[in-house]
Amino acid sequence: MNSLFSINSVFTKDVINDLVLNKNNKSFDYAVNKYIRNPQDKTIKTILCELYSLMGDNYRNEYYYVNSLLNKLLDGIYSVNTCTALSQLRVADHIADLVTINGEGIVYEIKSNLDNLERLNDQLSDYYKVFSKVCVLSYEENRKSIEKRLKALGEMGNSVGIYILSEDGKIFSKKTSKKPESYNKNLDSYCMFKILRKKEYENILMNTYGHLPNVKPVFYFKECYKMFEKIPLLEAQSKVLEELKKRNKISKERFDVIPKEIKSIIYFSDKLRNSDNYMFMERKFGG
Amino acid sequence: MYFPYIRGRQYDLIALRELIKNNLVSDRIFPIIEPVRESSTLLNTVETFNQNNKKIGIVINPEVGEIQHNYEYTVSFVGDNIYPAIIVDNSAKETLDFLKERGWKENQIIAVLKKVDYVKDYDDIFGIEPPLYTLFNDERSIRRCVKHGKIILGDRFNKQERNADYEDIPDEIFSDDHLFYQEEGCEGFGDYSIVGYNYDESGFAPKAVAIHVVYFDDDKILRVHHFVSDNNFGIEDLAGKYYEAVSKLIDWYQNTYNGESTYGLSALINSYNDGVFPGLATVKKLSIMHHIELMDHYLKERS
C-alpha cells in the first residue's frame, strides 16, 4: 500500500501550479520517474492520466474519492450552474471532506481504505449542526463496519446516507446506495454562523434586518451573532446555504474543459479556477 | 548594551524600524538581524538605521529561512553602521573568507556562537584576530573560549506549543542577564525577545490570543506576563479574543504595573480604548518594541 505513497503529492495545487507555470516540481518528477515508463516522450496529459489510473487501480486515496465524486456530481448529476461544491469545510470541531449546495446542502464524508472509522460518529454529529443531509462515501468491504458504527447514533445514524465507490468507479448506483434523509435535530446557530465569512454574514443580516450592528470592531462579531441567533434555525440554514452557494463560482464552459484527472484541484483553487491555461497538458515531460 | 536578536520576519523588522523612526532608543541598543527571506522591509529597516546613524548587525550566513547561502544578498546590506555578523557553524569559514575578499576585517565583524559543537571552529577562525563582539550561548564550554567583546545571548522566552497554554503560567521570569553581565566580564547581553529562538514559518489558524509583556519586578529582574483570551476553542472572532486578552492587560497595567509607559504599551492600551483589533503581527511588533524600549530606559538609568 505504502509503495504508492508518493502519488499523494502529485495531485495537489502546488504541483499543478508549477506545471502551469512550466516550473520544475520535485514531487512530480519523483513520482514520474518512479511510476512512468519512458516519460520523456509522453505529454503531461498522458502522464497524469497514467498516474491517475494507477491510483484508481492500486491506491484509492482521499483525492481519488473526492475527484471521482466531484466529477460525478458536477459533471453528471448536477451542473455547476446550479450546484456548488466546497471542500475541507470546517464545521464545528471537524472538517468536512466535501459539501454540495444546490437548494439543499449535503455533506460527503470519505472513508477510503487508508482511513479508520474511529472519529466517524463525532464527525457526523458535528456536520449535522449545520447541514441536514450527511453521507459516507466508502468501499464495499467497509459497509458493514460503517453501518455498525451508525447504529450507535440512533435516529441520526439512520438518516446518514451511504455510497460506495465501486471497482469500476461507480458511486450512485441504486443497488449500493442508501440515500441520506433529512435530520434537523442537531442544528446549531453558532456553528452555522462560524462557517460564514464576514461579507457573508453581513449579507444575511442586511437581508434580514436592513442594518448591521453599530459597535466597535472588537465587539462586532459577537453583536452580529446576537442578531443572527434570532433568526429561526431552518430559515437561518437556508440563508447560510444561499451564501455558501456563491463560493467557487465557475462557468460551465470553463468547468467542462478541465481535464477530469485534475478537476477538483482546479475547481477548489481560487487561483487555478480563474485561469484556463491547459496548454501545459500538451507539453512533453522531457521538454 | 542590549543586543535584541531578531529573525527577519516582516513585523519584527518593522518593530526595529519604528523604534528608530520614533526616536525611542539610544546607542545602548544594538540589534542583530538574521535575514530569513529577501524583503523590501529588510531594506528599508536597514536604511532607517543608516540614516539615523544607529548601529545594527546583519547575519551573512543565516541558519534558518530561505536565503541561507545567498551571501551576495545578505552582504549587500553591510556598510558604515551596518556590521556583518557570522553564525559560527559549518559555513562560518567560507562566510569569513567571503567577507575578507570584500575588505572586511575580523575586528569589524560580529560572531554568533550558539553551539558548543563549533567552539573549535570559533578558535580556528577567530583565535588570532578576535571579532568586534561575540554573542555566545551561556554554557560553560562556550564561555571559556570567548575572551573579548563578550555578549551573552540567551533564549529567555519559555515558548508554549499553543497560545492557550500560556494560561497555565501567566507570569514567569524572563531574564536577569542585565543584572550580571558586567560582573561576568561581558560588554552586553542579548536574547530573542518574546519571539524565542525556534523558527517556525508554518501557517495556522490560532484559537487563542496571547500578549506577552515584560516588566521589572522589585528586584529589577525582568519578568514576562502573558495575557490570554478566554474563549479558546474555535478559530472564530479573533478580534473578540484580542479584546479579552488586552482587557486583562489594561487591568494589570492599572493595578499592578509600575514601570514606565512605553510606545508599545501605550499603543496596546489605545487599541483597547478604541475597541480596535490591530492584528496579531502588530501586537507582536508592539510587544517587541515595548521590550526593547524598556531595556533602553533601564540601561540609561544604570549609567
Side-chain angles (χ1 to χ4, degrees):
Chain A
M1 223 191 327
N2 272 334
S3 61
L4 286 178
F5 183 70
S6 4
I7 284 198
N8 269 341
S9 15
V10 171
F11 291 93
T12 59
K13 261 194 307 207
D14 284 344
V15 165
I16 303 300
N17 260 327
D18 283 348
L19 288 176
V20 167
L21 296 172
N22 202 358
K23 279 162 68 176
N24 274 337
N25 184 290
K26 287 199 188 113
S27 308
F28 185 67
D29 290 347
Y30 181 80
V32 170
N33 287 312
K34 195 166 180 191
Y35 302 118
I36 306 293
R37 294 178 54 181
N38 304 321
Q40 307 297 105
D41 296 325
K42 296 181 174 167
T43 61
I44 303 288
K45 183 181 173 67
T46 305
I47 288 177
L48 285 176
C49 206
E50 282 185 29
L51 288 172
Y52 193 73
S53 279
L54 205 58
M55 243 181 7
D57 292 339
N58 300 299
Y59 190 74
R60 291 185 168 190
N61 56 15
E62 185 173 303
Y63 175 77
Y64 191 78
Y65 275 80
V66 168
N67 199 53
S68 303
L69 189 54
L70 192 81
N71 272 299
K72 291 244 184 278
L73 288 170
L74 293 187
D75 208 359
I77 301 179
Y78 306 116
S79 117
V80 288
N81 289 334
T82 51
C83 182
T84 294
L86 306 172
S87 87
Q88 303 301 310
L89 187 68
R90 215 182 263 261
V91 181
D93 294 329
H94 290 94
I95 299 179
D97 293 322
L98 192 86
V99 180
T100 56
I101 319 267
N102 69 323
E104 56 181 9
I106 304 179
V107 178
Y108 295 85
E109 174 62 27
I110 291 166
K111 292 295 179 197
S112 73
N113 69 349
L114 302 164
D115 296 316
N116 69 49
L117 298 177
E118 285 299 312
R119 300 178 302 133
L120 181 64
N121 288 353
D122 288 338
Q123 289 168 315
L124 302 179
S125 307
D126 266 1
Y127 303 150
Y128 278 114
K129 290 181 179 163
V130 177
F131 299 97
S132 303
K133 287 189 173 173
V134 177
C135 337
V136 181
L137 172 62
S138 189
Y139 53 102
E140 183 58 51
E141 291 79 6
N142 217 12
R143 183 202 293 277
K144 290 232 157 25
S145 311
I146 293 173
E147 285 169 347
K148 193 167 160 198
R149 292 247 167 194
L150 292 178
K151 282 210 166 51
L153 286 178
E155 192 192 335
M156 186 194 283
N158 277 342
S159 313
V160 176
I162 298 183
Y163 292 108
I164 302 296
L165 179 64
S166 70
E167 284 286 320
D168 54 354
K170 291 199 172 30
I171 294 178
F172 294 103
S173 125
K174 286 205 166 77
K175 276 199 328 205
T176 57
S177 307
K178 172 181 188 263
K179 284 194 172 158
E181 283 166 28
S182 272
Y183 180 81
N184 293 321
K185 294 186 181 165
N186 235 22
L187 290 180
D188 179 286
S189 210
Y190 192 59
C191 290
M192 282 194 245
F193 187 72
K194 276 199 293 187
I195 278 194
L196 300 168
R197 298 170 183 158
K198 187 160 180 256
K199 257 260 119 252
E200 291 169 345
Y201 61 72
E202 286 180 340
N203 282 346
I204 293 180
L205 294 179
M206 272 308 277
N207 205 280
T208 313
Y209 296 103
H211 70 95
L212 296 171
N214 184 11
V215 292
K216 292 183 186 156
V218 288
F219 304 121
Y220 191 69
F221 181 94
K222 289 196 171 79
E223 285 305 307
C224 282
Y225 177 60
K226 280 196 191 142
M227 290 172 73
F228 181 86
E229 202 184 10
K230 298 201 173 81
I231 307 174
L233 274 178
L234 285 174
E235 193 185 321
Q237 186 195 51
S238 167
K239 294 182 188 228
V240 167
L241 293 181
E242 214 179 287
E243 289 302 316
L244 292 181
K245 193 156 175 212
K246 299 177 193 170
R247 294 188 190 179
N248 295 345
K249 274 257 154 283
I250 190 175
S251 74
K252 188 167 190 318
E253 292 73 42
R254 271 229 169 104
F255 185 78
D256 286 347
V257 303
I258 306 173
K260 83 162 203 285
E261 293 84 5
I262 56 176
K263 199 82 105 172
S264 54
I265 299 177
I266 304 287
Y267 179 83
F268 290 124
S269 154
D270 290 333
K271 185 158 65 158
L272 291 169
R273 196 169 56 243
N274 290 312
S275 77
D276 43 19
N277 176 6
Y278 299 109
M279 306 231 297
F280 73 94
M281 296 289 274
E282 303 309 323
R283 215 169 53 231
K284 288 235 166 75
F285 178 71
Chain B
M1 288 169 68
Y2 171 52
F3 291 73
Y5 188 104
I6 302 285
R7 259 63 178 265
R9 289 186 193 82
Q10 189 185 21
Y11 277 81
D12 301 11
L13 293 176
I14 294 177
L16 295 178
R17 196 181 71 198
E18 292 195 3
L19 282 169
I20 302 302
K21 275 214 165 104
N22 291 293
N23 233 336
L24 299 168
V25 293
S26 70
D27 293 329
R28 294 177 189 85
I29 305 299
F30 194 136
I32 307 292
I33 295 179
E34 182 175 347
V36 297
R37 67 176 72 93
E38 295 199 17
S39 95
S40 54
T41 310
L42 178 56
L43 181 60
N44 54 43
T45 300
V46 169
E47 276 174 0
T48 304
F49 272 78
N50 240 339
Q51 281 156 10
N52 290 275
N53 274 325
K54 287 281 194 292
K55 297 190 161 81
I56 199 167
I58 302 278
V59 173
I60 304 302
N61 62 335
E63 64 179 357
V64 294
E66 300 165 14
I67 50 172
Q68 291 174 45
H69 295 287
N70 194 347
Y71 304 158
E72 292 288 350
Y73 177 73
T74 47
V75 89
S76 66
F77 293 102
V78 301
D80 281 331
N81 295 303
I82 320 297
Y83 293 79
I86 298 182
I87 293 181
V88 183
D89 63 13
N90 286 331
S91 61
K93 180 97 189 46
E94 75 180 1
T95 311
L96 181 61
D97 290 340
F98 183 84
L99 285 169
K100 284 168 93 157
E101 276 165 27
R102 282 154 180 76
W104 289 89
K105 302 208 170 31
E106 283 86 342
N107 64 8
Q108 298 164 312
I109 295 172
I110 298 171
V112 184
L113 181 53
K114 301 187 194 184
K115 301 200 171 110
V116 72
D117 314 62
Y118 297 107
V119 161
K120 185 164 189 319
D121 296 71
Y122 178 81
D123 266 337
D124 290 342
I125 300 173
F126 293 112
I128 311 214
E129 298 286 346
L132 177 62
Y133 296 115
T134 299
L135 276 68
F136 65 99
N137 204 25
D138 194 19
E139 289 170 49
R140 195 176 356 121
S141 337
I142 298 184
R143 231 182 293 146
R144 275 199 289 230
C145 80
V146 183
K147 310 246 175 354
H148 316 274
K150 294 159 67 170
I151 313 288
I152 299 178
L153 175 64
D155 181 14
R156 304 303 181 213
F157 186 64
N158 183 12
K159 196 166 187 124
Q160 300 298 325
E161 281 249 356
R162 310 167 309 156
N163 282 343
D165 298 336
Y166 291 105
E167 248 180 338
D168 299 330
I169 347 145
D171 193 289
E172 47 185 342
I173 289 192
F174 184 82
S175 168
D176 58 6
D177 292 332
H178 52 286
L179 293 173
F180 302 111
Y181 74 101
Q182 283 172 324
E183 76 186 47
E184 290 176 9
C186 295
E187 293 182 35
F189 57 97
D191 53 50
Y192 301 85
S193 188
I194 45 88
V195 178
Y197 174 73
N198 277 332
Y199 181 72
D200 185 7
E201 274 290 34
S202 64
F204 61 101
K207 294 189 174 164
V209 171
I211 309 175
H212 313 290
V213 178
V214 297
Y215 68 100
F216 288 105
D217 69 11
D218 292 334
D219 298 317
K220 280 302 186 193
I221 292 180
L222 193 66
R223 298 184 67 86
V224 60
H225 199 102
H226 309 291
F227 302 96
V228 185
S229 51
D230 299 311
N231 291 308
N232 302 327
F233 295 109
I235 59 170
E236 76 281 1
D237 198 12
L238 213 51
K241 289 173 190 189
Y242 170 71
Y243 184 74
E244 289 167 9
V246 83
S247 301
K248 297 179 181 179
L249 167 59
I250 299 305
D251 194 63
W252 173 84
Y253 179 80
Q254 285 168 348
N255 299 316
T256 313
Y257 183 70
N258 55 13
E260 291 95 3
S261 155
T262 61
Y263 178 98
L265 209 49
S266 306
L268 289 170
I269 293 168
N270 286 340
S271 74
Y272 170 85
N273 293 329
D274 296 339
V276 170
F277 172 46
L280 291 182
T282 298
V283 171
K284 187 177 56 151
K285 176 195 85 171
L286 294 172
S287 311
I288 294 174
M289 288 178 74
H290 163 75
H291 178 192
I292 298 178
E293 194 185 332
L294 204 68
M295 292 317 295
D296 191 55
H297 287 187
Y298 171 81
L299 289 172
K300 191 153 86 175
E301 272 174 17
R302 276 188 43 156
S303 60

